[in-house]
Amino acid sequence: MLLIQWSIGKGLAEYVNSKQLAALQPLVVELEREYAQQGSWKGIQGDHKKLGDLLIMNLANNDGEIDSAALMRRPPLEFGHPPRAEFGEPPPSRSDFPSPRQKPGFALFDHEDNLIAGHYIKRADYNKVILKVNDQDVGWLMIPQRNKMTDGYELDFIQQQKSYLWIIALVTMGLVVLITFPLAHHLAEPIKKIIFGMHQLTQGNYIQHIDVNRKDELGELSRDFNELALTLHENEDARKRWLANISHELRTPVSILRGELEAMLDGVRPLDKNNIGSANDEVKHLQSLIDDLHQLTSADIGGMHYRKSNIDLSQWLASEVNKFSSYLSAVGTTLQVDIETPVAMVFADRTRLCQLFENLINNCIKYAEASEVKISLVVEQQASPALVKVIVEDNGVGVPEQHLLHLFEYLYRVEDSRNRKTGGSGLGLSICAHIVAAHQGHISAQTSALGGLAIIIELPLS
């Protein structure tokens, strides 16, 4: 508040000084004309009264920019003429003028820094106006500056402004209080909820939901927080399922192997080739599971290597039909191939493609219990980008719709009993998903038109 008061006083003083300089322009012109007529300051030298008269005369018609009547009421010394100054007397020395404690007045100097007329106090603040005749400096007029307001009406104005400022400050503070508290609550409440939710997440409690019905940035942040909490919860569930499945899959063959070995060591079962072969089968099953897990882990960390080249998928698939047919015929299943286009160029790894389709065929053999398998190939040029679609479907038992989205998860099995008669580890389709993703493709599952399961593979054309 004090700073504002000081600023108003200083600003008003600067305004008055600037208006005074503008109002004194006629006096400057008059003094320059006086010098031009005389060729020197001889006509005004030492004549302090004449300088005062010129000042009042030139300010009388200035539309009130400076109160000329107030200037006329000032003591004569303020215009710079000491008592009984006569025209023609030599200019008084500076020691003849009043002491510096008196008010400074207007003063006229020649170009050699000699006082011509007026009242000059050395330690006072002045505005210096250069006087020119024929573009030559002939002197300057010293105009006292006003650093603070002293007249009654000016002080009344400043006092009035101070009162207004206090009123405005009080009203502003009241409005700030009325607006700030609701606004702070409006902003801080969702932030507090998010902070509390984040603290819960750090404690491992991922079941969190923040209800912030807003459409601003805090609303977007709360929605992102809810998505993060849901994702962490799903990942935690997947991790727990993964550990449970791994422990189960590893424990089963190890338990069987240990039981058979202990039976042979205890003499319950004879140590013969058949019993050793049975134990060896469990070792093979365990080795297959470990190999699949290693392959999936390698895929997750980018350890599966691909040697890709441009391949005509139609021609490659036609060349592999005989091998697939032999696999299926061994279990009494027929294979039907429907390739609509003669050319379908893709950028792929032949070895990984073989692994992909062998896993799909094995899945049909082990789980589908199908009598018919169909492989279809279609090129969709209208898609963006253009792609080739391969569908492997069967007429087997199929998969309930609620399981379709989870078929490509690690160790996921539709049958809860985990019947080991069908063999396998539940990792084949997960490996297929990694291979397709490495070829910038997409794999999905849906109900087949034949009545069983359909696996759809989409690969971009090269």
Side-chain angles (χ1 to χ4, degrees):
M1 190 66 184
L2 294 176
L3 181 62
I4 295 176
Q5 294 176 2
W6 172 82
S7 177
I8 290 176
K10 183 172 179 60
L12 185 58
E14 291 177 353
Y15 172 77
V16 171
N17 287 327
S18 64
K19 298 297 286 185
Q20 180 174 263
L21 288 174
L24 288 174
Q25 286 304 311
L27 175 61
V28 172
V29 175
E30 182 67 22
L31 290 173
E32 291 175 344
R33 186 174 62 81
E34 179 75 17
Y35 183 91
Q37 290 178 351
Q38 300 292 332
S40 67
W41 295 112
K42 183 178 180 180
I44 197 173
Q45 186 169 12
D47 194 346
H48 313 296
K49 183 177 182 303
K50 185 175 181 179
L51 178 61
D53 292 340
L54 287 174
L55 176 65
I56 295 175
M57 180 182 65
N58 283 281
L59 294 178
N61 299 320
N62 240 294
D63 298 329
E65 295 199 8
I66 292 184
D67 190 353
S68 56
L71 290 174
M72 294 176 67
R73 289 194 299 270
R74 292 175 180 172
L77 287 177
E78 191 161 338
F79 295 108
H81 52 92
R84 296 183 303 277
E86 298 295 337
F87 178 77
E89 293 181 356
S93 65
R94 296 191 182 184
S95 61
D96 295 333
F97 286 91
S99 69
R101 290 174 293 179
Q102 293 178 311
K103 276 190 173 184
F106 293 80
L108 176 64
F109 284 82
D110 62 11
H111 66 284
E112 295 180 352
D113 199 21
N114 296 316
L115 180 64
I116 303 301
H119 177 206
Y120 178 76
I121 297 177
K122 191 172 185 180
R123 286 179 289 180
D125 294 327
Y126 287 87
N127 288 320
K128 182 178 180 180
V129 179
I130 304 297
L131 303 176
K132 291 178 177 290
V133 175
N134 297 327
D135 294 328
Q136 291 185 352
D137 295 346
V138 295
W140 59 83
L141 179 65
M142 305 295 287
I143 303 171
Q145 290 185 1
R146 302 187 67 176
N147 295 323
K148 61 180 180 179
M149 300 295 102
T150 55
D151 291 342
Y153 73 94
E154 296 162 341
L155 294 177
D156 291 341
F157 172 76
I158 293 178
Q159 190 63 37
Q160 186 183 43
Q161 293 304 309
K162 290 180 180 179
S163 302
Y164 289 158
L165 283 174
W166 277 111
I167 295 173
I168 292 171
L170 292 175
V171 172
T172 302
M173 290 299 296
L175 291 175
V176 168
V177 171
L178 291 176
I179 295 174
T180 301
F181 280 101
L183 182 61
H185 181 268
H186 179 71
L187 295 175
E189 189 64 24
I191 295 176
K192 290 180 179 178
K193 291 182 179 180
I194 294 173
I195 292 174
F196 176 78
M198 292 297 295
H199 179 72
Q200 293 297 312
L201 292 182
T202 60
Q203 301 300 314
N205 183 12
Y206 301 129
I207 305 177
Q208 299 294 321
H209 184 79
I210 299 176
D211 293 321
V212 179
N213 296 322
R214 299 168 60 140
K215 296 183 179 179
D216 56 5
E217 289 78 4
L218 289 174
E220 294 180 2
L221 180 61
S222 65
R223 287 190 294 272
D224 292 340
F225 174 85
N226 293 334
E227 290 293 331
L228 173 63
L230 179 60
T231 301
L232 290 174
H233 178 63
E234 292 176 349
N235 290 341
E236 180 65 11
D237 285 346
R239 184 185 67 84
K240 291 178 179 179
R241 287 198 309 269
W242 167 257
L243 291 175
N245 292 338
I246 286 293
S247 61
H248 178 85
E249 293 294 337
L250 293 176
R251 182 177 58 191
T252 301
V254 170
S255 298
I256 296 174
L257 179 59
R258 179 182 177 182
E260 292 186 354
L261 292 176
E262 287 181 351
M264 287 186 284
L265 289 174
D266 294 339
V268 177
R269 298 182 64 181
L271 185 61
D272 55 23
K273 187 174 182 180
N274 290 334
N275 290 333
I276 294 176
S278 177
N280 186 53
D281 290 338
E282 295 302 326
V283 172
K284 290 180 180 179
H285 179 73
L286 183 60
Q287 182 64 46
S288 176
L289 176 61
I290 293 173
D291 290 342
D292 287 345
L293 289 173
H294 179 266
Q295 191 170 23
L296 280 175
T297 305
S298 298
D300 285 337
I301 64 175
M304 290 183 69
H305 300 289
Y306 295 84
R307 294 178 176 85
K308 298 180 182 179
S309 61
N310 288 320
I311 300 173
D312 184 354
L313 189 59
S314 297
Q315 182 180 354
W316 178 86
L317 193 57
S319 66
E320 297 292 318
V321 166
N322 293 332
K323 181 173 65 175
F324 299 153
S325 297
S326 63
Y327 292 161
L328 294 169
S329 62
V331 294
T333 304
T334 60
L335 175 63
Q336 180 183 353
V337 179
D338 183 10
I339 300 177
E340 294 185 359
T341 178
V343 178
M345 299 300 297
V346 295
F347 189 62
D349 185 325
R350 294 177 183 271
T351 302
R352 297 302 179 186
L353 286 179
C354 290
Q355 185 180 8
L356 169 64
F357 283 95
E358 285 176 1
N359 282 346
L360 295 178
I361 296 299
N362 286 331
N363 188 71
C364 295
I365 294 173
K366 294 177 180 179
Y367 302 106
E369 300 178 3
S371 61
E372 180 182 351
V373 175
K374 182 179 179 181
I375 300 177
S376 305
L377 186 147
V378 180
V379 173
E380 296 185 355
Q381 295 286 356
Q382 294 79 14
S384 179
L387 55 86
V388 57
K389 180 184 293 185
V390 181
I391 304 174
V392 180
E393 54 187 331
D394 59 62
N395 64 346
V397 294
V399 174
E401 187 174 354
Q402 66 269 23
H403 296 290
L404 292 176
L405 293 177
H406 305 285
L407 286 181
F408 303 99
E409 295 179 5
Y410 297 167
L411 297 170
Y412 187 85
R413 285 183 176 178
V414 175
E415 48 180 340
D416 296 332
S417 63
R418 297 177 182 271
N419 187 356
R420 300 183 71 251
K421 291 181 180 179
T422 58
S425 60
L427 295 173
L429 291 180
S430 299
I431 295 175
C432 291
H434 276 284
I435 293 174
V436 173
H439 287 82
Q440 291 74 49
H442 179 261
I443 188 170
S444 60
Q446 65 181 34
T447 302
S448 169
L450 300 178
L453 176 67
I455 302 296
I456 303 172
I457 301 167
E458 296 177 347
L459 298 175
L461 293 175
S462 61

